[in-house]
Amino acid sequence: MFPFIDNGAPRGPLPGSQCRHVGSPGPTNTHLSILHRSALSQVINIHNDDFFVAVPATLAGHKPPEQLNWVHKQRMGNLIKVLTRDIDNNGGNFFLDFENAQPSSSEKVVWENVNQVLTESQVILEELQGYTGAGEEIRQAIQSPNEEGVQERAWSAVLPLVTKLKTFYEFSHKLECSLPCLLDVLTSPDAPPTQQLEHKQALARQFALILHFTLRFDELKMTIPAIQNDFSYYRRTISRMRINNMCVRSADADNEVNNELANRMSLFYACATPMLKTLSDATSKFVSDNPDVPIENTTDCLSTMACVCKVMLETPEYRSRFTSDETVLFCLRVMVGVIILYDHVHPAGAFVKTSTIDMKGCIRVLREQPASSVEGLLNALRYTTKHLNDDTTPKQIRNMLQPN
């Protein structure tokens, strides 16, 4: 899945740029030149005799070029090939195998813990997709407040639904605990974030799957207004029963949601994108709880994933190898997810001109998809990001995100 190919057309160095050679010539007399930039360059050049690689200062670790041995000690990584769209030299290699990546021995412990959560996530999505609500029973109960049989039917219909809503809410905490485990590995300071992503593909895949689940859950949730209606009716009924000193049946008491939990669940479901908010908060907390890890490790990891997804989506040669439309949607959700997380973590956000994410390009890719499949993702960028409405956001980006 996701083979990295492109036309490999050589390009010249950036106008006005200065290049410095790093290390000694390899067996093919190839020289590596580093253009020091504060963001990933839009032009990265590959040629038979010389190739020029633009890297962010954070990726280079602000070290002098002679210390960047990790770059030229190995063949050019698949990541760079994706960003440069180097078809000829990349062949059928993969950068991130979102479908089949298997954990190495060093990834195994984290992978197994996160895999349990991801396995449950499939059940959560299936139950949410099958959520029908108790709208008709609630309507009849409101219209016939004195008919005990009608009230009983409404209560019996709502109670199992509230149990499901409780399960969804509790699962969000499992997701919240899993994310830092992945970020701790993928942003580890023992190697650049790009290298972490490439060498720990199984964990990178799990990170992508979490983002995919999160966006999919929120897309579904926004189409089911019955969720909040059912829970509101449940809270009103429980409150009335307590006021009237009515006993809750023992079978129902086991599933009862206490007042404190009910308040937290109400706040959770009142959010348009509750799972995405959970991940955003968890990412911000990870950064604040780990001051010894440079914030650039996290933001470079996120921006690199956004860039790779964008390139695969907008390059016909990559996209032609997708086996289904769902693969396209998967990449779109992952791209939007990492943009939102980046915007919450980076002090200046994802929309500022100096951002290492090509926001115009990412929005353009979204706009090129059928509106019905990406409207929820565009809304996520509009309403769940932190810095979109800042004065530093270019007017063109704001206009591109305006609803049609």
Side-chain angles (χ1 to χ4, degrees), residues 123-323:
V123 178
I124 296 293
L125 282 181
E126 290 172 4
E127 291 188 350
L128 183 60
Q129 285 176 309
Y131 192 99
T132 56
E136 179 60 25
E137 291 86 348
I138 292 173
R139 185 184 64 80
Q140 292 179 4
I142 293 174
Q143 291 178 348
S144 306
N146 297 322
E147 294 188 23
E148 185 175 342
V150 174
Q151 299 299 317
E152 181 65 25
R153 283 195 297 273
W155 177 253
S156 297
V158 166
L159 193 61
L161 295 174
V162 170
T163 301
K164 283 187 178 183
L165 296 180
K166 180 183 177 183
T167 300
F168 299 163
Y169 172 75
E170 290 173 341
F171 180 77
S172 72
H173 289 287
K174 297 179 183 179
L175 211 62
E176 185 179 16
C177 294
S178 296
L179 185 65
C181 297
L182 292 173
L183 289 176
D184 187 56
V185 176
L186 296 176
T187 65
S188 174
D190 59 357
T194 49
Q195 198 171 7
Q196 296 284 14
L197 285 173
E198 188 163 359
H199 291 175
K200 296 181 172 65
Q201 291 198 31
L203 299 186
R205 174 177 177 263
Q206 287 187 320
F207 184 33
L209 287 170
I210 285 178
L211 291 167
H212 171 75
F213 162 81
T214 297
L215 272 296
R216 184 60 182 145
F217 180 96
D218 289 344
E219 287 172 0
L220 288 171
K221 183 262 180 185
M222 285 191 286
T223 66
I224 310 175
I227 287 177
Q228 287 178 270
N229 293 336
D230 293 346
F231 195 61
S232 294
Y233 176 81
Y234 171 84
R235 296 198 70 183
R236 291 196 305 270
T237 303
I238 283 288
S239 178
R240 185 171 63 250
M241 292 170 69
R242 288 171 179 160
I243 291 174
N244 296 331
N245 292 320
M246 296 172 61
C247 295
V248 179
R249 292 176 304 189
S250 58
D252 297 343
D254 294 336
N255 297 318
E256 184 179 357
V257 176
N258 62 48
N259 193 55
E260 181 182 352
L261 177 57
N263 288 335
R264 295 199 302 269
M265 287 176 60
S266 291
L267 290 173
F268 178 78
Y269 288 112
C271 180
T273 54
M275 287 291 179
L276 193 52
K277 184 179 186 305
T278 297
L279 283 198
S280 298
D281 291 346
T283 306
S284 298
K285 188 175 186 299
F286 170 81
V287 172
S288 61
D289 288 350
N290 295 275
D292 54 320
V293 178
I295 190 173
E296 292 83 5
N297 286 27
T298 303
T299 54
D300 278 356
C301 174
L302 298 173
S303 63
T304 299
M305 289 193 71
C307 184
V308 171
C309 288
K310 180 182 78 73
V311 169
M312 289 193 295
L313 288 163
E314 70 184 1
T315 307
E317 292 88 348
Y318 294 156
R319 190 157 173 167
S320 66
R321 299 205 178 187
F322 291 168
T323 57

